[in-house]
Amino acid sequence: MATYNEIKNRYEQDQSGMQQGLQQAGSSATSMSRSIQARDDESFVNDAAGGIGTLIGLGIRSSRMSQQNAKIEAVNQALKTSSAQMDQGLYEEAIATATKQLISNEIVEAKVNGYSIRGTAYYLNEQYAKAIEDLTEAIRTIETSRVQLDRDALGDTLASSYYIRGRVFKEQNEPSDALRDFTKAIQLEPGWEVIYYSRCLVLRSIGEYDRALSDINQAISIQPGDADNYRERGRLYALTGASSRALEDFTRAITLQRSVTNLRTRGQFYADQNERAKALIDCSTALSLNPNDVETLKLRAGLFEALGAHAEAEADLVRAVESEKRQSTYQSYQDAAKTVYD
């Protein structure tokens, strides 16, 4: 195995050797010209031999430099390909690219990036055990390397690996491990708003509302235009009895992003405040965006039932059940496909 720095150093050494070789070749050519003019056959032969040797050395160095360039270019291309596959939701393809072109690579930084990318793809594909294994390997390799790894080649891989592993632990309901990883990621990248948001969710789940509020405020200070941050702070305000502040934040979230989640969240808040008419408006608006959203259908069904509109409540429940069946069928197909390809 070799590090990116070692590959780069070899290239620079060969580049320097090339420059020296070109100078030597020029000197040999000059000497050969003088020997011809002086009709000194022995000197001509010696200069020619030296020139040929120099040219052979230049050829070897040129070939080696091309090989080093090709290795680095192959890694860069694999990184671009896997990134594009992840963006398109092609997680199995990203896993294959990371496995074949990065993890199997001789360059250490390529392997590390490969483990991090594959671990992230496993997480997004809900293969949590494999995700933890790969992300842990990426972290371990960086933190225990006896040689200096190239920062530019690694980028934010260490912070990203901690962050994604923290999300895996969160999904597996392991709050202590999730908090540890999110905290480490924040230490490495204190300007990443999303890590504060994620740690806030875990803190809220264990009842640490003050710490959660501190984190979400930090997230908002970094990214004041993110609707998710205001929705989450609204939930915290609602949990701590600051109803007016909660409503302000829920409304701000909807202003920034008129989504099903944001409308349903404010609808739930209104329902909890016994303001059913306002809750119904938000639920109906959300369903105009996605008529088959199960959570919103169930919420509106409960509101209709409370208002005595039994037929409307039953209609929403029927739609919710049908939507759940469709989702369950689709999930079954996905699980079956994973079983085949695993």
Side-chain angles (χ1 to χ4, degrees):
M1 285 197 302
T3 67
Y4 182 83
N5 282 328
E6 288 170 344
I7 297 287
K8 189 164 60 175
N9 287 339
R10 289 175 197 165
Y11 181 88
E12 290 172 352
Q13 287 171 4
D14 281 335
Q15 190 176 46
S16 176
M18 284 281 288
Q19 292 173 349
Q20 293 175 5
L22 288 170
Q23 291 174 355
Q24 290 172 1
S27 178
S28 295
T30 301
S31 296
M32 286 170 64
S33 176
R34 288 173 181 168
S35 298
I36 291 172
Q37 292 173 0
R39 296 185 178 182
D40 187 344
D41 292 342
E42 185 174 350
S43 295
F44 176 79
V45 170
N46 289 336
D47 289 336
I52 291 170
T54 299
L55 290 173
I56 291 172
L58 286 171
I60 292 172
R61 289 185 185 279
S62 177
S63 175
R64 205 157 52 198
M65 288 171 68
S66 295
Q67 291 174 7
Q68 309 303 345
N69 267 335
K71 288 177 182 178
I72 293 173
E73 181 56 34
V75 170
N76 290 336
Q77 186 57 51
L79 290 170
K80 289 179 183 177
T81 300
S82 58
S83 177
Q85 289 166 336
M86 295 277 278
D87 289 343
Q88 296 171 43
L90 303 174
Y91 304 133
E92 295 290 350
E93 288 82 351
I95 289 167
T97 299
T99 302
K100 295 176 183 177
Q101 299 181 40
L102 294 172
I103 293 173
S104 62
N105 200 287
E106 68 167 312
I107 303 175
V108 176
E109 289 87 349
K111 287 182 178 290
V112 171
N113 279 312
Y115 281 119
S116 184
I117 290 168
R118 192 172 72 174
T120 302
Y122 278 139
Y123 159 68
L124 294 170
N125 214 29
E126 298 182 1
Q127 295 171 271
Y128 297 139
K130 290 183 177 181
I132 288 177
E133 183 178 343
D134 274 0
L135 294 165
T136 300
E137 181 61 22
I139 292 167
R140 184 198 66 78
T141 303
I142 295 173
E143 293 187 336
T144 63
S145 177
R146 295 181 179 179
V147 294
Q148 184 175 359
L149 300 179
D150 188 87
R151 285 191 171 189
D152 291 335
L154 288 176
D156 56 21
T157 299
L158 183 58
S160 177
S161 297
Y162 270 117
Y163 167 61
I164 298 299
R165 194 175 69 172
R167 289 181 61 172
V168 178
F169 285 133
K170 176 181 174 294
E171 289 294 329
Q172 294 187 316
N173 196 28
E174 298 179 37
S176 296
D177 289 333
L179 288 174
R180 179 201 63 215
D181 277 4
F182 288 147
T183 299
K184 182 65 176 178
I186 287 171
Q187 290 170 355
L188 293 166
E189 294 288 348
W192 280 10
E193 159 263 341
V194 69
I195 315 176
Y196 293 99
Y197 174 84
S198 297
R199 191 170 69 174
C200 167
L201 297 182
V202 177
L203 290 167
R204 173 168 63 82
S205 73
I206 60 175
E208 293 276 359
Y209 299 142
D210 289 340
R211 291 175 61 196
L213 190 59
S214 175
D215 269 359
I216 204 62
N217 282 335
Q218 182 64 25
I220 289 172
S221 71
I222 297 171
Q223 185 56 269
D226 193 321
D228 291 349
N229 292 331
Y230 290 99
R231 184 183 66 244
E232 178 56 27
R233 191 171 70 174
R235 284 174 173 158
L236 286 166
Y237 281 143
L239 286 168
T240 55
S243 299
S244 60
R245 288 187 174 184
L247 182 56
E248 286 176 9
D249 275 351
F250 290 143
T251 302
R252 179 69 180 275
I254 292 169
T255 301
L256 289 168
Q257 185 179 17
R258 197 173 182 80
S259 68
V260 171
T261 300
N262 291 336
L263 286 160
R264 183 180 63 242
T265 301
R266 190 175 69 176
Q268 182 65 67
F269 171 78
Y270 279 135
D272 293 339
Q273 300 294 311
N274 289 320
E275 296 187 56
R276 297 191 181 98
K278 291 180 179 179
L280 275 173
I281 292 171
D282 275 351
C283 288
S284 297
T285 305
L287 289 170
S288 72
L289 299 176
N290 181 4
N292 299 313
D293 184 71
V294 174
E295 290 184 49
T296 307
L297 285 166
K298 289 182 177 179
L299 175 57
R300 193 172 70 170
L303 291 167
F304 277 138
E305 189 65 32
L307 292 169
H310 305 301
E312 289 83 351
E314 184 177 356
D316 274 356
L317 286 175
V318 169
R319 283 172 58 189
V321 170
E322 290 174 350
S323 295
E324 282 183 318
K325 284 181 179 178
R326 284 194 295 270
Q327 292 175 10
S328 178
T329 301
Y330 177 70
Q331 186 62 49
S332 296
Y333 282 128
Q334 281 192 317
D335 293 341
K338 287 179 186 178
T339 302
V340 170
Y341 290 109
D342 284 352

